[in-house]
Each structure stands twice: as structure tokens, then as C-alpha cells.
């Protein structure tokens, strides 16, 4: 599966993985996971880890894809903008040009309009911190 320069489809998916797929369907698209783990010890929420692709697939307890988390070496794109391994302030500036709501947090930002959350440790203290 290719995860380089792949367009994020808001609330739909990333690459060939789509929100709402079964775990078996997601695995048939993504291949064998490097590992699988539980997101929380309190609630059954399995996660398949594809470190070589830069992707975690999060499932509901029913085994349905709930969310797709991407990180380097993946290169997610939204309307021509790349996010990962770029300074937070540059990504924020680019996103503010789009007609979307953005909620800044202590460690990044979230846009519920397009269904993304970006992680940049210490982004409020250091706007030059890198989006992971």
C-alpha cells in the first residue's frame, strides 16, 4: 500500500483504508500489521500498527475502522498541503487560508470540519516545533 503523497479524504479514509471497513477488509488493503495492540486497557479498542507505512488503524470494539492515524514516513496531503515533518507555524498558516475551523491545542490542532488532528509537541511554546 502506498502512503506517500496520498490525499486525505475527510471522514472517509486514507489510501485504500476507509472508515467503516471491517478489520479483515482493512488488513486486506494494508497487508500484515507490524503489531496490534489495545489503545486503552479500559475499553476494547484494537489498533493495527504499520510502522513501515507510517499508519495506525484504530478499530471500534466491533472491529470496524474508526480512525486512521498517520505519521512519518507517510505523507498525507489535503488540498495540496502536506503536514508531517513541517514546522507547526507553517502548517497552521496554510490551514488558516482554507475555509475551515481550527482548534489550537497545547500539542497541535484539530479541525472537525475536515476530520484531522495534527500532533506537534510544545506547539504553543515553540511554534517552530515539527508536526509529527
Amino acid at each position: 500500500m502506498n502512503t506517500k503523497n496520498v490525499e486525505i479524504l475527510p471522514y472517509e479514509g486514507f489510501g485504500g483504508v476507509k472508515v467503516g471497513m471491517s478489520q479483515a477488509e482493512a488488513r486486506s488493503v494494508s497487508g500484515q500489521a507490524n503489531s496490534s495492540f489495545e489503545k486503552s486497557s479500559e475499553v476494547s479498542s484494537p489498533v493495527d500498527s504499520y510502522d513501515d507505512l507510517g499508519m495506525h488503524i484504530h478499530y471500534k470494539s466491533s472491529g470496524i475502522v474508526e480512525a486512521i492515524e498517520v505519521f512519518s514516513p507517510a505523507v498525507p496531503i489535503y488540498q495540496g498541503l502536506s503536514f508531517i515533518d513541517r514546522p507547526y507555524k507553517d502548517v497552521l498558516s496554510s490551514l488558516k487560508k482554507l475555509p475551515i475551523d481550527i482548534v489550537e491545542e497545547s500539542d497541535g490542532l484539530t479541525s472537525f470540519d475536515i476530520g484531522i488532528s495534527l500532533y506537534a509537541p510544545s506547539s504553543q511554546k515553540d511554534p517552530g516545533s515539527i508536526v509529527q
Side-chain angles (χ1 to χ4, degrees):
M1 180 175 153
N2 176 35
T3 57
K4 305 278 189 197
N5 299 315
V6 175
E7 187 75 20
I8 296 171
L9 303 173
Y11 293 102
E12 290 182 36
F14 177 75
V17 180
K18 306 291 184 217
V19 172
M21 280 183 157
S22 70
Q23 190 173 42
E25 291 171 321
R27 286 177 172 173
S28 74
V29 170
S30 304
Q32 180 66 38
N34 297 101
S35 63
S36 294
F37 59 92
E38 291 288 327
K39 183 170 136 182
S40 165
S41 60
E42 299 171 9
V43 179
S44 175
S45 49
V47 178
D48 282 343
S49 177
Y50 296 88
D51 296 333
D52 53 331
L53 297 175
M55 179 173 68
H56 287 167
I57 302 175
H58 297 256
Y59 301 95
K60 296 179 182 180
S61 59
S62 61
I64 301 299
V65 175
E66 176 177 42
I68 303 146
E69 176 183 0
V70 295
F71 48 89
S72 186
V75 182
I77 305 292
Y78 180 73
Q79 293 192 2
L81 302 174
S82 64
F83 308 113
I84 296 178
D85 294 332
R86 290 187 54 215
Y88 174 79
K89 64 181 178 180
D90 295 348
V91 173
L92 178 62
S93 175
S94 295
L95 286 172
K96 283 185 173 182
K97 295 175 185 172
L98 300 175
I100 60 172
D101 288 330
I102 297 168
V103 178
E104 287 193 77
E105 300 159 345
S106 63
D107 59 355
L109 63 84
T110 298
S111 173
F112 294 104
D113 289 344
I114 59 174
I116 65 164
S117 184
L118 302 179
Y119 178 64
S122 304
S123 59
Q124 295 305 306
K125 294 179 188 172
D126 177 12
S129 64
I130 301 299
V131 174
Q132 299 178 11

